[in-house]
């Protein structure tokens, strides 16, 4: 599927999460190349429109890894997945320009940056040189406390879009992610989800990534392995409130949730 030709708003896209790391918060990390590629193929079979590959955990309290380690984890997986899934866009989830460049050379066409282009300035340059699509996430961990989480998110988005423009990344190729769980408390996550439509004022596609995160069940004492139904609930609400893409672990189940929600909301 070519994102350039996609009719945004016609349906919600599914982004399958492929963590090539041993310390994923969701317990889904996989470091074997054959297994990772097989999982990518299964996710596409189950309904994923995009595969997002990451080699460094970003869970709370995560331990950063070196550029060399992260690059070694992802490049072979990206290369083989891109060859096997030639019609499916591959996204590289990284904050490091060297990793992004290696992934683009291996076949990735999208960057997912949890710093929203507000980290290493060279990352935006790499994306611009490759004319890549960019998911710019608002990261509240990088900011002070906010009284209005939606206003703070919009401020962060505007900064990311400004950086993109200055570095030659077309705003037409930027997707915005509110960054659920990245510095927000449960009540703030819930408020952003309820008010998600307010983020559409910037006229860019909105990606929601809440799969298995704290807000999908921690308040009820549900562990990560018990959050399938909670993830389904927030995914359906995200679609109802205007999400264009949802980033998920459980692709088969969430594809059915999204198709049902789309049938009601977008018919």
């Amino acid at each position: 599927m070519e994102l350039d030709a996609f009719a945004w708003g016609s349906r919600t896209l599914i982004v399958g999460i492929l963590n090539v790391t041993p310390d994923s918060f969701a317990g889904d990390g996989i470091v074997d190349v054959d297994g990772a590629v097989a999982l990518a193929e299964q996710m596409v079979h189950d309904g994923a429109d995009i595969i997002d590959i990451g080699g460094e955990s970003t869970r709370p309290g995560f331990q950063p890894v070196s550029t060399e380690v992260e690059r070694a984890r992802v490049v072979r997986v990206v290369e083989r997945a891109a060859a096997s899934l030639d019609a499916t866009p591959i996204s590289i989830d990284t904050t490091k320009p060297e990793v992004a460049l290696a992934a683009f050379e291996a076949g990735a066409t999208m960057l997912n940056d949890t710093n929203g282009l507000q980290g290493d300035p060279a990352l935006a340059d790499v994306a611009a040189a490759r004319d890549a699509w960019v998911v710019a996430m608002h990261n509240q961990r990088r900011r002070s406390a906010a009284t209005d989480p939606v206003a703070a998110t919009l401020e962060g988005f505007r900064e990311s879009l400004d950086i993109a423009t200055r570095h030659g990344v077309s705003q037409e190729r930027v997707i915005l992610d509110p960054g659920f769980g990245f510095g927000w408390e449960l009540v703030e996550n819930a408020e952003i989800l309820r008010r998600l439509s307010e983020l559409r004022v910037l006229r860019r596609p909105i990606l929601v990534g809440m799969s298995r995160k704290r807000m999908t069940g921690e308040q009820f004492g549900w562990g990560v392995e018990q959050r399938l139904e909670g993830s389904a609930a927030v995914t359906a609400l995200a679609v109802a409130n205007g999400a264009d893409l949802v980033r998920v672990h459980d692709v088969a189940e969430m594809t059915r949730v999204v198709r049902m929600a789309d049938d009601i909301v977008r018919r």
Side-chain angles (χ1 to χ4, degrees):
M1 184 197 67
E2 292 291 339
L3 286 183
D4 290 346
F6 181 67
W8 293 102
S10 60
R11 68 180 179 90
T12 307
L13 297 183
I14 305 290
V15 181
I17 301 170
L18 183 54
N19 289 316
V20 191
T21 169
D23 55 345
S24 167
F25 88 93
D28 64 320
I30 185 168
V31 295
D32 172 67
V33 174
D34 290 338
V37 174
L39 179 56
E41 292 171 343
Q42 183 63 50
M43 287 193 290
V44 171
H45 177 269
D46 290 339
D49 298 290
I50 299 166
I51 301 297
D52 188 37
I53 299 173
E56 180 179 66
S57 174
T58 54
R59 67 182 182 179
F62 75 96
Q63 294 298 315
V65 299
S66 69
T67 297
E68 292 73 21
V69 167
E70 186 179 346
R71 184 166 49 203
R73 286 177 177 176
V74 301
V75 167
R76 185 61 177 149
V77 176
V78 170
E79 183 178 50
R80 285 188 48 190
S84 176
L85 308 169
D86 58 356
T88 302
I90 303 296
S91 168
I92 179 63
D93 182 354
T94 187
T95 61
K96 300 181 179 71
E98 300 88 351
V99 175
L101 178 59
F104 289 146
E105 291 175 344
T109 57
M110 177 183 289
L111 167 68
N112 183 7
D113 178 17
T114 58
N115 288 329
L117 301 180
Q118 296 177 36
D120 190 327
L123 191 60
D125 293 330
V126 170
R130 290 285 171 162
D131 198 25
W133 281 80
V134 174
V135 177
M137 194 198 80
H138 173 76
N139 193 331
Q140 190 62 22
R141 293 177 187 168
R142 297 172 58 87
R143 295 167 173 265
S144 59
T147 56
D148 182 343
V150 173
T153 300
L154 282 170
E155 179 185 5
F157 282 168
R158 291 188 177 99
E159 291 180 20
S160 293
L161 289 170
D162 183 59
I163 292 169
T165 298
R166 295 202 310 269
H167 286 262
V169 177
S170 169
Q171 291 194 10
E172 296 302 309
R173 301 179 80 78
V174 177
I175 295 166
L176 301 173
D177 176 355
F180 290 97
F182 282 77
W184 297 119
E185 299 298 330
L186 292 178
V187 65
E188 293 169 321
N189 284 321
E191 182 173 358
I192 295 169
L193 180 58
R194 285 195 300 269
R195 299 169 57 191
L196 193 68
S197 62
E198 295 179 34
L199 301 179
R200 301 194 64 83
V201 68
L202 298 179
R203 300 183 180 278
R204 300 308 310 135
I206 301 297
L207 180 148
V208 168
M210 292 185 287
S211 180
R212 302 187 189 176
K213 290 184 179 177
R214 292 173 55 210
M215 70 174 298
T216 65
E218 183 180 89
Q219 62 271 52
F220 305 116
W222 303 341
V224 171
E225 72 285 352
Q226 300 172 308
R227 296 177 185 171
L228 178 64
E229 294 85 356
S231 296
V234 297
T235 296
L237 288 168
V239 173
N241 290 339
D244 296 286
L245 309 91
V246 291
R247 184 175 179 271
V248 302
H249 298 89
D250 306 290
V251 172
E253 295 86 350
M254 295 309 121
T255 295
R256 291 193 290 271
V257 169
V258 165
R259 286 178 179 169
M260 186 70 247
D262 271 346
D263 188 64
I264 295 168
V265 173
R266 302 189 191 274
R267 175 174 294 190

